[in-house]
Amino acid sequence: MEQPHVVVLFGATGDLAKRKLLPGLYRLRRAGLLTDARVIGTSLEEIDTEAFVDLAREACVEHGRGAYDEEKWALFATTLSYVSQAAGPAALADAVAEAESVLADAAQAAGKEIQRLHYLSVPPKAALDVLHQLDEAGLVERSRIVMEKPFGTDLESAKKLNHRVHEVFGEEQVFRIDHFLGKEAAQNILAFRFANGLFEPIWNRNFIDHVQIDVPETLGLEGRTAFYESTGAFRDMVVTHLMQVLAFMAMEPPTSLAPGPISDEKLKVFRSMKPLQPKDAVRGQYTGYRGKEQVADDSDTETFVALKVEIDNWRWAGVPFFLRTGKKLAEGARIISIAFKEPPLSMFPQGSNVGMQGPDHLTFDLADQSKMSLSFYGKRPGPGFKLEKLSMQFATHETPSAGLVLEAYERLIHDAMRGDHTLFTTAAGIETLWEKAIPLLTDPPPVRSYAPGSWGPNAIHQLVAPHAWRLPFERTWRDPDAHGV
């Protein structure tokens, strides 16, 4: 940590706080990245600090990564306190002042100023109320805020939300979080592209045939239907997650890896995108979604969406980017798959199997364990000239530095404390994406039903033709505990 911090966690008793934020803060403390800090939990529940500490401990035991250490937990527990939202802005201000007084001597001795990080783990409708509470409590100065999705539901609502946010906080203080970009694999895209002379020269329309960004989920929407009825898969996942990953894939080399240049290049990608057309989208809804609690019998909300996105610039003109995500699908995965153009194949004899298993692919797995795979054709050992698909694979957890990997929320919280916007979304980027989505949102294609456990509506195959979806894989990931490839 560059400066001491007071972290105010709004929605501190909610599901996200229990599963990710409190265990993440505890792990940052264990890793020595949250040394001079106090954490204040606040929510609508009227509990005291002792009850909050018990709640946090249970969350860290159940959801924390690595072995639980009672001694280290005891040190972290001393940094926790709680104040109910019902107590009002003045009580929150007093709690922050008390926390800052504990840090004051060490901060003064080090010549550092105490900063504040406000994490808004609250529903979108409550976020603006929290901002005004912070303003009323006098907690805007020396502060940064972390906001969860969605960032509006269309261009008009996004502009209105950004305007309301900017009435209280400057854009440089706002961190719109996307946990997909906090994953090691997503950041590895930048390293892979820009640090290797082997790949950057071929990262363009001359060598790449098409790209797939595929995030199927096996979970349904039990308990979340009210939220989903106001968003749907496109608003929930595509604008906030998949498009951000696409920008990492497609951006031009930034002048440096500093937050400003990276944000500039991501914005150029969004501005170069062709408007999203209804004919280039497939919307789906899994059988059984309608008729659930708070879902109408004729609901038109999509639980699945697949898109073809085109980027109209010199690097990517003519290269389709296929995006897919949905609920209750056959597998849960988070992959980027880059298909390379095939060379002329006329020299190979008939029956050699060349080209029979699709083009060469470079695959990034964005799951918690970062993995990459490069598939290619090679000769099958033995007589004759038969080819087969081989692959070279890499996994972060197989490296000596695997223990240093931060979970996505841990990394992003730490970046926000440092004021690093590299992995966060800007107001201009969000508004540009909503602008590009106007044709699709104005005239959406009909919702098609699909069976739970499938890969979505059958129309997805026409969308991607003459190509084929990479999932399910033609080859499984190598098991690090098994011998061989």
Side-chain angles (χ1 to χ4, degrees), residues 175-402:
F175 291 75
R176 298 170 187 82
I177 195 166
D178 172 16
H179 68 271
F180 271 52
L181 294 189
K183 295 180 178 295
E184 285 287 336
Q187 297 162 58
N188 230 334
I189 296 170
L190 298 182
F192 200 85
R193 283 189 58 185
F194 300 130
N196 293 296
L198 178 63
F199 287 100
E200 180 52 26
I202 63 172
W203 211 267
N204 56 56
R205 59 188 171 86
N206 296 321
F207 298 94
I208 291 178
D209 186 73
H210 67 278
V211 178
Q212 296 180 25
I213 302 174
D214 211 349
V215 186
E217 297 180 280
T218 56
L219 295 175
L221 289 162
E222 291 74 11
R224 298 183 63 218
T225 50
F227 162 74
Y228 226 71
E229 278 295 286
S230 63
T231 55
F234 178 79
R235 291 177 170 90
D236 180 46
M237 290 290 292
V238 175
V239 174
T240 50
H241 293 325
L242 274 66
M243 288 295 191
Q244 307 303 323
V245 173
L246 181 150
F248 264 33
M249 261 293 307
M251 63 190 280
E252 294 297 320
T255 54
S256 74
L257 289 179
I262 287 179
S263 294
D264 291 343
E265 296 304 334
K266 286 173 60 182
L267 182 57
K268 288 178 186 177
V269 173
F270 299 148
R271 287 174 172 167
S272 299
M273 281 172 45
K274 291 183 178 181
L276 304 178
Q277 300 298 333
K279 66 180 179 63
D280 293 328
V282 174
R283 297 168 69 233
Q285 186 184 90
Y286 65 77
T287 306
Y289 174 79
R290 291 179 181 175
K292 296 274 187 184
E293 185 180 356
Q294 298 177 306
V295 178
D297 291 338
D298 59 351
S299 171
D300 192 47
T301 300
E302 79 277 1
T303 62
F304 170 99
V305 65
L307 299 168
K308 181 172 79 171
V309 178
E310 295 180 278
I311 301 172
D312 195 16
N313 62 17
W314 280 27
R315 183 182 289 265
W316 295 113
V319 178
F321 286 72
F322 297 105
L323 279 55
R324 176 172 65 170
T325 186
K327 307 294 184 183
K328 286 207 172 183
L329 296 178
E331 292 178 20
R334 298 169 180 175
I335 70 148
I336 304 169
S337 189
I338 300 146
F340 292 98
K341 290 186 176 180
E342 294 187 79
L345 303 174
S346 57
M347 63 176 283
F348 293 95
Q350 189 172 5
S352 65
N353 292 334
V354 66
M356 297 300 292
Q357 292 179 290
D360 299 341
H361 281 91
L362 175 64
T363 302
F364 294 88
D365 188 331
L366 302 188
D368 290 334
Q369 292 288 2
S370 170
K371 292 183 283 192
M372 290 186 294
S373 171
L374 179 63
S375 69
F376 52 90
Y377 285 99
K379 182 185 178 299
R380 182 184 298 169
F385 208 98
K386 290 276 188 180
L387 301 182
E388 60 184 354
K389 237 353 175 11
L390 308 172
S391 73
M392 292 188 294
Q393 299 184 7
F394 159 82
T396 301
H397 62 274
E398 295 175 334
T399 66
S401 55

